[in-house]
Amino acid sequence: MPTSALGDASLGDLSKTEVLTPSSLTTTRRSHARPIVLSVVALLLLTQLLRILGTSHPGSNTILEAAPWPAQESLYKCRTLTAEHVSTKDFTSRKHSDRNVPGTRATLIANASIWTGRGGGLEILKGDILLDQGLIKQVGRVDRKWLENYQELYHIDAEGRWVTPGIVDMHSHLGVHSSPGLRGASDGNSRKGPILPWLRAVDGLNTHDNAYKLSASGGITTALVLPGSANAIGGQGVVIKLRPPTDRSPTGMLLESPNETNTTKYDRARSFRFRQMKHACGENPDRVYSGTRMDTAWAFREAYEKARQLKQAQDNYCLKAVRGQWAGLGEFPEDLQWEALVDVLRGRVKVHTHCYETVDLDDLVRISNEFKFPIAAFHHAHETYLVPDTLKSAYGKPPAAALFATHARYKREAYRGSEFAPKILAEAGIQVVMKSDHPVLDSRFLLFEAQQAYYYGLPHNIALSAVTTTPASVLGLDHRIGFVRQGYDADVVLWDSHPLALGATPQQVWIDGVPQLSAPHTIKKPAPFQRLPKTPDFDEEAKAALKYEGLPPLEPKVSVMHTIIFANVSSVFLRDARSTAGIRQVIASQDDEGSLSVVVREGKIVCADTATSACVRGALLEKGKMEYVDLEGGSVSPGLTTFGSPLGLEEISGEISTKDGYAFDPLLGNIPTAAGGNGALVYAFDGLQFSTRNALVSYRAGVTTGIVAPLSRGFLSGVSTAFSLAAKHKLDDGAIVQETGAVHVAIHPRGAPSVSTQIAALRRLLLRPSEGELGLWFDKIRNGEVPLVVEVESADIIATLISLKREVEREVGVRIKLTITGAREAHILAAELREADIGVILTPSRPFPSSWESRRILPGPPLSEKNAVRVLLDHGVTVGLGVHDADRTLNTRFDAAWAALEANGTISKEEAIALVSTNVEKLLGVERDDGEYDLVATLGGDLLEYSKVVGVASPRRGVVDLL
């Protein structure tokens, strides 16, 4: 319930004065009878007067005859203080939506599996949905006689596929951190001071953000656009619909704008609309304003004290005004800078707090109790799962936790983040919301956050609610969005598979009843994809996360047994250089539950056969030397290889002391003589770090090898290295897969040096002898011995590199090896890349146009028939997949599976595994024998499914790690 407009002063104070303030009328009871009687009488008087005012037209003279001229306006403002929130009943009985687009055809979605969001997310209806006039008119059994009233009706047969409410992103910077990112459209943060509640995101909302269409294609229908987190109080957010507005203005995107000034549309004296406000604590405001947590906490308290005083003055004013005590009263006390914070104290603003660590969570909870305002949600909230009772002690009701699924450890305050946090919080009774923080995560794939949370143990109903009904409720908008329910906004999504199945993609998205995909490219997925996918049991891992306060031991445990038998295996995939993909399925069970066994001895496969084979029966007889692992229909496949992130060269991205650091760049200044001068070349091998948490988490997800190049902020990076994610240190057995691999450079438009200067430098290195280590390695490139790897995004720069490769090959008479990474516009030149024999590592695998040089992405279904992976493969280009951030490495297998799913059956499982193993190594100059790679055992499915990695066999180390 909203905080009373009448304030919070104590009745004990009232007994000492003859003037009863509004604040005195809502406090807790005291044992003194006289103050209670006075309070009740005053409250009844004020309520009755406000009711009279509420039924009197502002222009009438009913009670204003003796009042001064501004009384009408002042009394109207006083009436707004006691208005209630908008009524659900008013909305469910609507005939048409306030956002209805005239001329939109009614739509009947027939034969659907409808997840309504009701019943705690457990209600599923089989039937139809009728959309008209911007509303959901009927759900379930639609009366056919009703349909006869429509001359034009757009009919869609869902064929049993799933329909859900539109996805609600409760933390986005769409439109204020625009795509592509340009200096002229960066409106997310003001740095004019730590306390800025008067700023409004709507005033910087860019309607030309390319990401609106992309996000809508992922099922996002509503988003809370927040200011950034540079400030303790960064300003007011704005809730928008992602439908292109008919008037082409930011105002046309708003949902229930609290800034509406037309009283015929929004009369604040009748009801109020929630506002949304951004708070932030911890590292961000401390860093921006060179302060400490103590400074930030004081900034909050000082600001709220100003707001409290202004609120008290308003309450005192209104009690006198409604009594007609105008003498010396003056005008209604208000301050445009502080009015939003006053509304926070009145319970009319949803406070969204960027807050990670326990110390910061506790600070904000104490401040909320000191000044008596509720917190709607803690965002990012990486340690909330460790302190749910702290959240429960906040003023009002416990804040929701708005989380990433697996994005963690990128700065110190995120270091204890856990993939099991959603599960743990839900079990503790805390509302869970999954959000994007777009463009930190591309909100187009917000549903993937819910899928990951479900995979790691969040119940399916809560996982889907976490991106629909729960954020709608937290925003105070669950009277119109977040449910498939009669009378609600016609924001629904038809999915090509169960929404919690990996790769679930909209076949159509309706916002206000308007379809958002003009010609969607859809894929008809097999029947099993329409069922709720099974997930592993992670209860023990979740308990360990709590036991060790977010830092459970992750080091693999080596089996002490000589022989491991993986039983009930459904399939086995192995590397095979003779196969087209470099991966071959060598055996598969006819039974989905698995009837095969794989015998591993000293890290190497001895045999893969039926349980009755001589090899398997012989292994079973090795009493005391054998360990038996039931994979329950699981699989054995090659370990995966990751590239593109600083994995292996850093522990915490935001803490320079935990990183190898950045290489000197010859285009940005002279390299010190002690380091080799301008002929120096850096080796990633020299800066390797082992047993980082990102490496160990990724190892448990089937990624066993990392390839990393030296970190660079300029043109020249250095020589990459390949290493084992399981090793404890560089000297450990099998720690180094290959000490040196390829030479890495990057070419991007960065002002100075120019792109043409960077190309000139590369041309000179390729065609002219150079000194030092740099010269030696470029000699190897010219001789075709090692690859040159160029990080590049723009198709224009890629075209220049193709021409440069031809020029060099004509000059030296040797076919050089060239790989491009990043490559978000590479699909434009697929044929030319194949002709030039240039390989591509797409980083990331699902592109986002974050910069001008990457604006021409190929998004894939439903916006394009093919994704970039498929286009490149169709043209014969060797393709690998990579990631940008070390904490994204654990999803490598899901990235490969997603790419294959979008390819509509044209990419096999073998080819999908190759995308994140053999292809990556080939393109980066890593060579090893077929018998030297790790094998991963998965429980309950193969590596590309919702299975669980339970073992890794390492021939190089001669052991099997059991996880």
Side-chain angles (χ1 to χ4, degrees), residues 664 670-680 771:
F664 287 110
N670 290 328
I671 298 176
T673 303
N678 289 339
E771 60 185 30

Side-chain angles (χ1 to χ4, degrees), residues 166-184:
I167 304 298
V168 180
D169 188 356
M170 205 175 77
H171 189 136
S172 177
H173 302 292
L174 275 166
V176 294
H177 284 310
S178 295
S179 170
L182 296 168
R183 187 178 300 172

Side-chain angles (χ1 to χ4, degrees), residues 81 110 134 202 215 341 354 446 530 584 594 612 614 661 675 754 770 830 894 960:
L81 305 187
V202 66
S215 296
L341 219 55
H354 161 118
L446 175 55
Q530 301 304 325
R584 182 169 61 91
T612 58
S754 66
S770 301
F894 293 149
V960 174

Side-chain angles (χ1 to χ4, degrees), residues 206-378:
N206 175 15
T207 57
H208 301 299
D209 189 338
N210 288 353
Y212 291 130
K213 182 178 180 179
L214 291 169
S215 296
S217 76
I220 308 294
T221 57
T222 304
L224 169 60
V225 178
L226 290 165
S229 53
N231 317 98
I233 301 180
Q236 300 167 51
V238 57
V239 180
I240 64 170
K241 293 281 193 85
L242 269 62
R243 170 176 63 78
T246 54
D247 64 358
R248 298 191 176 95
S249 74
T251 299
M253 302 182 74
L254 307 186
L255 177 61
E256 287 196 10
S257 171
N259 303 313
E260 176 64 63
T261 56
N262 185 339
T263 55
T264 62
K265 294 182 178 180
Y266 174 37
D267 186 350
R268 300 165 192 263
R270 293 177 60 86
S271 61
F272 75 85
R273 296 171 175 175
F274 279 116
R275 287 195 269 188
Q276 317 289 329
M277 185 176 288
K278 179 69 174 290
H279 287 19
C281 54
E283 294 183 27
N284 285 21
D286 291 354
R287 181 182 66 253
V288 171
Y289 293 102
S290 301
T292 66
R293 284 175 166 81
M294 294 182 290
D295 294 303
T296 301
W298 170 246
F300 275 121
R301 295 180 68 224
E302 184 180 40
Y304 273 109
E305 177 59 20
K306 290 180 182 178
R308 188 197 65 78
Q309 292 175 7
L310 181 55
K311 175 180 177 292
Q312 186 69 55
Q314 291 176 351
D315 292 346
N316 291 341
Y317 179 97
C318 287
L319 187 59
K320 290 183 179 180
V322 297
R323 286 175 166 177
Q325 298 174 353
W326 296 101
L329 196 55
E331 295 185 1
F332 180 81
E334 54 189 343
D335 187 323
L336 192 59
Q337 283 191 308
W338 297 103
E339 57 85 24
L341 219 55
V342 172
D343 260 6
V344 171
L345 299 181
R346 296 193 186 281
R348 299 178 173 209
V349 179
K350 298 289 189 175
V351 174
H352 300 269
T353 305
H354 161 118
C355 217
Y356 289 75
E357 287 189 273
T358 299
V359 58
D360 300 313
L361 298 167
D362 193 60
D363 282 349
L364 264 293
V365 165
R366 281 188 283 102
I367 291 170
S368 82
N369 283 303
E370 179 181 0
F371 292 95
K372 297 181 172 57
F373 66 90
I375 299 171
F378 283 119

Side-chain angles (χ1 to χ4, degrees), residues 748-764:
H748 298 289
R750 51 172 64 94
S754 66
V755 169
S756 51
T757 300
Q758 295 170 63
I759 293 292
L762 184 58
R763 177 183 286 110
R764 185 181 183 282

